[in-house]
């Protein structure tokens, strides 16, 4: 049902003609029509844990791809899902993401920002389990150990690439890729958020994953983060970004999403055009999915992107 062996394909675009690079894309957007690619990767091992239990409880904001992915996965695999949503002013019909999650059978609980702030606390998880039974509590965005493990599977078998490129929210996906790299490879993350220190977060996750804080430093040379391509912040867009996504679609027939992969690809093109250190390199950009988010942004813009 989930096509984890998603294909890779080469990208041909006039903007790249003089860069001396070879760009390929890993089509994790094709893992499933409804379940965003990296969200499935991160959910997969939590779903295994949920077998024989009472369901999955997780957390997210109003436009969360993770909430959408969890709800759809629950419907497809017959797992009860509960979504704790940030903002008690919201309701199931507030936007496309929430109404789809609701119709997928997710029970949506709208909580104050204050209560949402407890989402990583064990005492809060205990309370959730008292109320909803023997559920698996999945961190926001599918982060955590199981999420990282799932992300280690993304570039498996693609040792011939020099550089891997991925969009970052929590940095969980990048951390999984980083752990799975061969010694000659490097991973670049493009942050979809304004502010926040993804580098520090990745180091923290590496330490937690190996249960050894002293190991963090070993990975510092193997990854870099660009944080100046956020276009004003999470889920903010402008006409430059939309024009770029349209041009990319025209030349490749691939839809990027405006929240994550559109900004990543814009930033990557900018770097490849202006930074000759990538010349001669074979690059693999990960299409992490997120295409469900297009509708929400189109609703906000009042126009179609594609
Ligand atoms: C959530 C998401 C990301 C960010 O993943 P993290 O593991 O949180 O860094 C990237 N791309 C898409 C399409 C996403 O939905």
């Amino acid at each position: 049902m989930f096509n984890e062996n998603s294909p890779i394909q080469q990208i041909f675009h006039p903007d790249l003609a003089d860069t001396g690079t070879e760009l390929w894309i890993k089509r994790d957007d094709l893992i499933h029509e409804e379940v965003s690619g990296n969200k499935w990767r991160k959910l997969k091992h939590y779903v295994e844990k949920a077998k024989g239990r009472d369901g999955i409880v997780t957390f997210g904001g109003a436009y969360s791809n993770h909430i959408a992915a969890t709800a759809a996965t629950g419907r497809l695999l017959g797992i009860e899902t509960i979504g704790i949503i940030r903002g008690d002013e919201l309701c199931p019909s507030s936007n496309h993401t929430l109404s789809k999650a609701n119709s997928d059978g997710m029970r949506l609980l709208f909580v104050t920002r204050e209560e949402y702030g407890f989402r990583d606390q064990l005492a809060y998880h205990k309370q959730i389990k008292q109320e909803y039974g023997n559920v698996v509590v999945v961190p926001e965005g599918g982060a955590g150990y199981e999420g990282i493990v799932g992300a280690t599977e993304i570039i498996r078998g693609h040792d011939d690439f020099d550089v891997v490129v991925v969009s970052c929210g929590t940095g969980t996906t990048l951390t999984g890729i980083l752990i799975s790299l061969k010694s000659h490879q490097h991973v670049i993350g493009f942050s979809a958020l304004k502010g926040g220190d993804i580098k520090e977060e990745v180091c923290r996750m590496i330490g937690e994953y190996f249960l050894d804080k002293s190991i963090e430093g070993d990975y510092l040379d193997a990854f870099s983060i660009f944080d100046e391509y956020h276009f004003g912040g999470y889920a903010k867009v402008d006409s430059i970004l939309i024009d770029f996504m349209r041009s990319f679609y025209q030349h490749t027939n691939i839809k990027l999403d405006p929240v994550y992969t559109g900004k990543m690809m814009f930033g990557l093109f900018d770097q490849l055009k202006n930074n000759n250190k990538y010349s001669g390199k074979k690059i693999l950009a990960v299409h992490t999915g997120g295409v469900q988010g297009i509708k929400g942004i189109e609703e906000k813009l009042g126009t179609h992107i594609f």
Side-chain angles (χ1 to χ4, degrees), residues 34-53:
E34 290 176 71
V35 182
S36 187
N38 79 326
K39 297 301 183 279
W40 168 249
R41 299 272 187 198
K42 293 193 284 182
L43 263 176
K44 176 182 160 186
H45 294 285
Y46 287 111
V47 164
E48 280 165 17
K49 264 175 96 175
K51 281 195 186 118
R53 294 175 61 172

Side-chain angles (χ1 to χ4, degrees), residues 221-237:
D221 291 341
F223 78 103
S224 347
I225 303 291
F226 288 100
D227 54 14
E228 65 269 35
Y229 296 103
H230 55 68
F231 285 84
Y234 182 75
K236 299 256 165 62
V237 300

Side-chain angles (χ1 to χ4, degrees), residues 23-26 163-165 264-265 268 283-287:
L23 177 61
W24 292 68
I25 191 164
K26 169 77 170 159
V163 181
V164 180
V165 182
M264 168 197 76
M265 198 61 79
L268 178 59
I283 299 164
L284 183 62
V286 182
H287 193 324

Side-chain angles (χ1 to χ4, degrees), residues 36 38-39 42 65 167-173 257 260-261 288-290:
S36 187
N38 79 326
K39 297 301 183 279
K42 293 193 284 182
N65 287 336
S167 172
C168 296
T170 63
T172 307
T173 308
D257 82 289
Y260 292 103
T261 54
T288 38

Side-chain angles (χ1 to χ4, degrees), residues 180-235:
S180 68
L181 289 183
K182 295 292 188 287
S183 59
H184 66 280
Q185 294 178 306
H186 188 89
V187 59
I188 300 175
F190 284 90
S191 178
L193 314 176
K194 185 174 164 182
D197 190 339
I198 291 185
K199 197 149 204 160
E200 198 181 297
E201 273 299 293
V202 170
C203 285
R204 184 188 60 74
M205 286 189 264
I206 290 278
E208 276 183 15
Y209 180 87
F210 290 107
L211 300 173
D212 180 359
K213 259 191 91 56
S214 68
I215 223 161
E216 291 176 12
D218 299 358
Y219 284 85
L220 280 174
D221 291 341
F223 78 103
S224 347
I225 303 291
F226 288 100
D227 54 14
E228 65 269 35
Y229 296 103
H230 55 68
F231 285 84
Y234 182 75

Side-chain angles (χ1 to χ4, degrees), residues 261-272:
T261 54
K263 293 177 182 181
M264 168 197 76
M265 198 61 79
F266 182 93
L268 178 59
F269 270 48
D270 193 49
Q271 286 298 318
L272 296 185

Side-chain angles (χ1 to χ4, degrees), residues 43-220:
L43 263 176
K44 176 182 160 186
H45 294 285
Y46 287 111
V47 164
E48 280 165 17
K49 264 175 96 175
K51 281 195 186 118
R53 294 175 61 172
D54 294 330
I56 288 176
V57 176
T58 195
F59 312 90
Y63 292 98
S64 166
N65 287 336
H66 168 67
I67 287 293
T70 306
T73 299
R75 191 196 82 233
L76 292 161
L77 300 181
I79 300 168
E80 297 281 336
T81 60
I82 297 174
I84 298 182
I85 309 297
R86 181 181 60 231
D88 58 352
E89 77 285 3
L90 296 165
C91 68
S93 59
S94 291
N95 65 45
H96 173 76
T97 302
L98 295 175
S99 60
K100 174 72 167 61
N102 185 52
S103 70
D104 281 335
M106 179 178 261
R107 188 159 156 204
L108 297 170
L109 307 173
F110 299 93
V111 301
T112 60
R113 280 159 179 80
E114 189 189 9
E115 179 171 342
Y116 195 80
F118 296 131
R119 68 191 175 281
D120 289 329
Q121 303 211 355
L122 281 178
Y124 188 54
H125 296 179
K126 224 171 144 181
Q127 194 184 317
I128 287 171
K129 286 180 183 171
Q130 267 165 9
E131 203 150 331
Y132 302 107
N134 186 20
V135 291
V136 176
V137 179
V138 178
E140 181 183 60
Y145 182 81
E146 283 81 356
I148 296 172
V149 172
T152 64
E153 296 161 14
I154 298 173
I155 60 152
R156 189 172 282 169
H158 295 300
D159 301 348
D160 51 328
F161 286 90
D162 305 300
V163 181
V164 180
V165 182
V166 68
S167 172
C168 296
T170 63
T172 307
T173 308
L174 182 136
T175 302
I177 292 172
L178 180 59
I179 289 167
S180 68
L181 289 183
K182 295 292 188 287
S183 59
H184 66 280
Q185 294 178 306
H186 188 89
V187 59
I188 300 175
F190 284 90
S191 178
L193 314 176
K194 185 174 164 182
D197 190 339
I198 291 185
K199 197 149 204 160
E200 198 181 297
E201 273 299 293
V202 170
C203 285
R204 184 188 60 74
M205 286 189 264
I206 290 278
E208 276 183 15
Y209 180 87
F210 290 107
L211 300 173
D212 180 359
K213 259 191 91 56
S214 68
I215 223 161
E216 291 176 12
D218 299 358
Y219 284 85
L220 280 174

